[in-house]
Amino acid sequence: EYDPRVRPWYRQARSSGKQGWTGVYLFFTDKKPGIASASPIYDHQNRFKGAVSVEIELFRISEFLATKRVGKHGRLFLVNPERKLVAYSEVDRFRKKVTVDGQTKWVLRQIHESPDPEVRASFAALRKRETAFPPTRQHIFEFESNGRSYFAMYSPFPAGTGKRWTVGILIPEDR
């Protein structure tokens, strides 16, 4: 049975006392990964009464990234501090279905488990330049994968969003 008081968005709104974004969690009904923006509700005597949230399925963020063009063959993706792909412009590549105890759910892929060899190679190249993750500054560099040269950019998510995500962009050099 659904009880909002035990959901991550509700607990965060109650404990923080202010609007904020959750980390990634599985939605109750469809077990798909998502995030929520949640705000506490107080009465006129400033007593906590509950919380409201807006949930965003990560698949929808990937759909949005898919509409953005970076050259003809560029790719966009978002990575969280746990090095998991949060969204990817090739929509179904950031997550995978797993079955645990007879229950199927979606989980995020680690960036080094990406089905895209260029994403894996770019992350390995980034790790040679920056040992901290998420990176503390923007990195733009060239790397090779499968005999082709690519340009990559890894940049911290904009300040003020409350997310410590990293934006990644890959562009083949010859296209």
Side-chain angles (χ1 to χ4, degrees):
E1 185 173 303
Y2 182 77
D3 182 354
R5 296 169 299 174
V6 299
R7 301 303 297 154
W9 58 268
Y10 188 98
R11 290 193 327 257
Q12 180 175 313
R14 184 168 195 164
S15 66
S16 72
K18 60 183 180 179
Q19 185 279 330
W21 288 94
T22 66
V24 174
Y25 66 95
L26 294 179
F27 291 164
F28 182 79
T29 53
D30 59 11
K31 306 298 184 228
K32 292 181 181 175
I35 58 173
S37 174
S39 295
I41 300 171
Y42 295 96
D43 67 12
H44 64 282
Q45 293 178 331
N46 205 32
R47 291 182 297 214
F48 179 81
K49 300 304 277 182
V52 295
S53 76
V54 174
E55 294 181 318
I56 302 170
E57 187 181 326
L58 295 182
F59 181 78
R60 301 294 175 210
I61 298 172
S62 289
E63 285 182 326
F64 172 76
L65 292 181
T67 68
K68 304 302 165 201
R69 296 287 169 238
V70 181
K72 288 184 180 181
H73 301 283
R75 294 174 218 127
L76 294 161
F77 52 93
L78 301 175
V79 184
N80 72 10
E82 292 78 37
R83 300 177 183 173
K84 293 182 179 180
L85 289 166
V86 174
Y88 189 66
S89 58
E90 293 180 12
V91 177
D92 277 327
R93 299 190 119 190
F94 76 98
R95 62 187 186 170
K96 61 184 175 182
K97 265 187 183 178
V98 297
T99 302
V100 178
D101 298 328
Q103 187 173 13
T104 301
K105 62 182 178 179
W106 291 97
V107 296
L108 302 180
R109 294 179 191 270
Q110 292 284 328
I111 191 167
H112 67 272
E113 298 172 339
S114 170
D116 186 332
E118 287 76 35
V119 169
R120 294 191 310 267
S122 72
F123 186 69
L126 171 69
R127 299 293 289 144
K128 291 178 182 175
R129 290 164 175 72
E130 169 94 35
T131 56
F133 196 86
T136 56
R137 63 180 180 84
Q138 183 179 77
H139 291 271
I140 299 172
F141 56 91
E142 189 175 346
F143 71 98
E144 285 197 13
S145 178
N146 295 322
R148 290 181 65 191
S149 292
Y150 291 82
F151 294 109
M153 183 198 76
Y154 281 80
S155 183
F157 213 60
T161 62
K163 303 306 295 172
R164 292 183 50 233
W165 291 354
T166 300
V167 178
I169 299 174
L170 304 180
I171 303 170
E173 183 178 350
D174 60 355
R175 295 193 179 192

